[in-house]
Amino acid sequence: ALHLEIDFGDGRYTLRRALEEPEAAFVGLEISSASLQRAWRKLGRADVANVRLLKVGAQFALRQLFAPDSLASITVNFPDPWPK
């Protein structure tokens, strides 16, 4: 199953889900470079292989990167609609 998380913050939730469901695949979307770096470090320390992180907006990703009906779930955490 493929799961998408939008705006994953520091990656804690993503990491926990990936560890709980090692047979599943996870994609995290984030526009903040700082959040992306924090999450990469967390995932790297835990040696998690079933997560991919992308620095891209959700609107683009949902239209262009995922086929219809390809996602088992979509989770939205810490959305920030105003780029700073």
Side-chain angles (χ1 to χ4, degrees):
L2 179 60
H3 302 278
L4 176 66
E5 183 177 358
I6 298 171
D7 298 321
F8 51 76
D10 68 1
R12 275 183 275 178
Y13 178 81
T14 311
L15 175 59
R16 189 182 82 223
R17 284 202 64 197
L19 291 172
E20 289 173 354
E21 301 177 60
E23 74 289 344
F26 296 88
V27 175
L29 305 178
E30 180 61 69
I31 60 172
S32 164
S33 294
S35 292
L36 193 61
Q37 290 173 358
R38 283 191 297 271
W40 266 330
R41 282 194 297 270
K42 273 187 179 46
L43 294 169
R45 284 192 300 267
D47 197 27
V48 172
N50 59 336
V51 177
R52 298 294 178 261
L53 303 178
L54 302 173
K55 185 176 187 216
V56 63
Q59 196 171 38
F60 173 83
L62 287 170
R63 287 187 182 143
Q64 302 296 322
L65 301 180
F66 300 100
D69 300 321
S70 65
L71 298 171
S73 71
I74 299 174
T75 303
V76 181
N77 286 320
F78 309 106
D80 187 358
W82 302 286
K84 296 178 178 57

